[in-house]
């Protein structure tokens, strides 16, 4: 399994689209959304300044992009080309394949997080204690594994022809409604009530709580843990289902 994880990392780092969309794109969005705003203005519904809010939002968005979009499309293509069938002939168990894909994608989310942090600190002067920077990095990275598992599930749910539109629909819906592009306090109350149950809303909440000097809320952690179990279970079930068709 370790060899497969290393292979996934090397393949992604050789992909120029990965470098742009998962590392440079979120940092550029931060500069457009949060970098032009007053560093003292508080975000509606929070005690965070605009740059601090968008730093966590765009770091989370970058990690989401790294683990969800690329992962689902690669898996769908591998299925069509027969690579997955070849792996089934090896000693790698089905759960090992799912976990390797999830872990490999999770490792690739780290550069996106760090680049957004560096841009926020350098351009907008965002400052936190050392423990907060470490906690922010760890929380956002660990949370990205939830969406890595979702990416694996989507890769087995869709074919190579339709995986992109399905993934992009899920990707943008989770990003916008989860509060990664704008505060959910701007939404109507009925929509806010729905957004609170989305994994991306809880994901953004991890970093926001740390920025305010506290620990992530237990409700957010529990919600993400539940989604991780759900997405991992779905990925494993779809993998077994795909194996029966091969």
């Amino acid at each position: 399994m370790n060899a497969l994880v290393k292979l996934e990392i090397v393949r992604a780092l050789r992909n120029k689209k990965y470098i742009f969309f998962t590392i440079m794109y979120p940092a550029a969005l931060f500069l457009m959304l949060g970098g032009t705003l007053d560093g003292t203005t508080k975000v509606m519904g929070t005690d965070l300044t605009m740059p601090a809010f968008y730093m966590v939002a765009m770091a989370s968005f970058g990690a989401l992009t790294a683990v969800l979009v690329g992962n689902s499309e690669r898996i769908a293509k591998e299925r069509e080309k027969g690579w997955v069938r070849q792996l089934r002939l090896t000693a790698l168990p089905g759960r090992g394949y799912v976990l390797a894909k999830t872990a490999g994608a999770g490792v690739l989310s780290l550069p996106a997080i760090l680049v957004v942090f560096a841009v926020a600190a350098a351009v907008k002067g965002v400052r936190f204690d050392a423990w907060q920077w470490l906690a922010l990095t760890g929380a956002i990275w660990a949370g990205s594994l939830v969406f890595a598992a979702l990416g694996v599930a989507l890769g087995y749910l869709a074919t190579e022809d339709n995986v992109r539109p399905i993934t992009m629909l899920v990707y943008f819906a989770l990003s916008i409604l989860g509060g990664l592009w704008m505060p959910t306090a701007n939404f109507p109350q009925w929509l806010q009530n729905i957004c609170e149950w989305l994994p991306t809303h809880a994901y953004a909440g991890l970093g926001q709580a740390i920025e305010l000097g506290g620990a992530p809320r237990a409700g957010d952690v529990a919600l993400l843990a539940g989604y991780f179990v759900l997405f991992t279970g779905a990925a494993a079930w779809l993998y077994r289902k795909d194996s029966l068709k091969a």
Side-chain angles (χ1 to χ4, degrees):
M1 189 175 77
N2 291 337
L4 184 57
V5 172
K6 292 178 182 178
L7 176 62
E8 291 298 317
I9 295 172
V10 171
R11 289 173 61 193
L13 292 177
R14 290 176 177 174
N15 189 330
K16 294 181 180 179
K17 289 193 297 183
Y18 163 78
I19 299 297
F20 176 75
F21 284 107
T22 64
I23 298 180
M24 305 309 298
Y25 180 49
L29 279 180
F30 168 78
L31 293 176
M32 288 189 289
L33 295 174
T36 60
L37 299 172
D38 185 359
T40 61
T41 302
K42 298 293 181 66
V43 176
M44 181 187 302
T46 75
D47 290 324
L48 295 172
T49 64
M50 288 289 189
F53 174 87
Y54 276 108
M55 184 188 77
V56 161
M58 288 300 105
S60 301
F61 176 69
L64 173 67
T65 304
V67 300
L68 178 59
V69 178
N71 213 22
S72 61
E73 293 186 10
R74 280 195 299 272
I75 291 173
K77 291 178 181 178
E78 288 173 359
R79 289 171 55 216
E80 295 291 331
K81 294 178 180 179
W83 171 242
V84 176
R85 286 195 297 272
Q86 291 296 322
L87 286 177
R88 292 194 186 108
L89 299 177
T90 70
L92 181 69
R95 65 180 182 277
Y97 175 83
V98 173
L99 291 175
K101 285 289 187 181
T102 301
V107 171
L108 295 174
S109 68
L110 188 58
I113 298 169
L114 296 178
V115 168
V116 172
F117 285 178
V119 171
V123 177
K124 293 301 293 182
V126 176
R127 297 290 184 268
F128 291 106
D129 292 338
W131 74 266
Q132 288 175 296
W133 286 115
L134 291 173
L136 283 168
T137 303
I140 296 175
W141 177 82
S144 72
L145 297 178
V146 175
F147 305 100
L150 175 59
V152 177
L154 290 177
Y156 277 100
L157 178 66
T159 64
E160 183 178 3
D161 292 332
N162 58 30
V163 66
R164 178 178 287 271
I166 292 175
T167 300
M168 296 308 288
L169 178 62
V170 173
Y171 170 64
F172 283 114
L174 288 177
S175 298
I176 296 171
L177 297 179
L180 300 185
W181 281 22
M182 65 187 73
T184 56
N186 294 326
F187 298 160
Q189 187 59 52
W190 66 268
L191 186 54
Q192 292 183 44
N193 295 337
I194 296 174
C195 293
E196 289 178 357
W197 291 97
L198 295 178
T200 37
H201 187 276
Y203 187 36
L206 299 180
Q208 292 169 6
I210 294 170
E211 285 185 319
L212 293 172
R217 292 183 292 271
D220 290 337
V221 175
L223 187 64
L224 286 172
Y227 272 110
F228 181 73
V229 172
L230 174 64
F231 294 152
T232 303
W237 179 76
L238 289 167
Y239 179 88
R240 288 194 296 270
K241 182 180 178 181
D242 189 68
S243 300
L244 295 176
K245 294 190 298 183

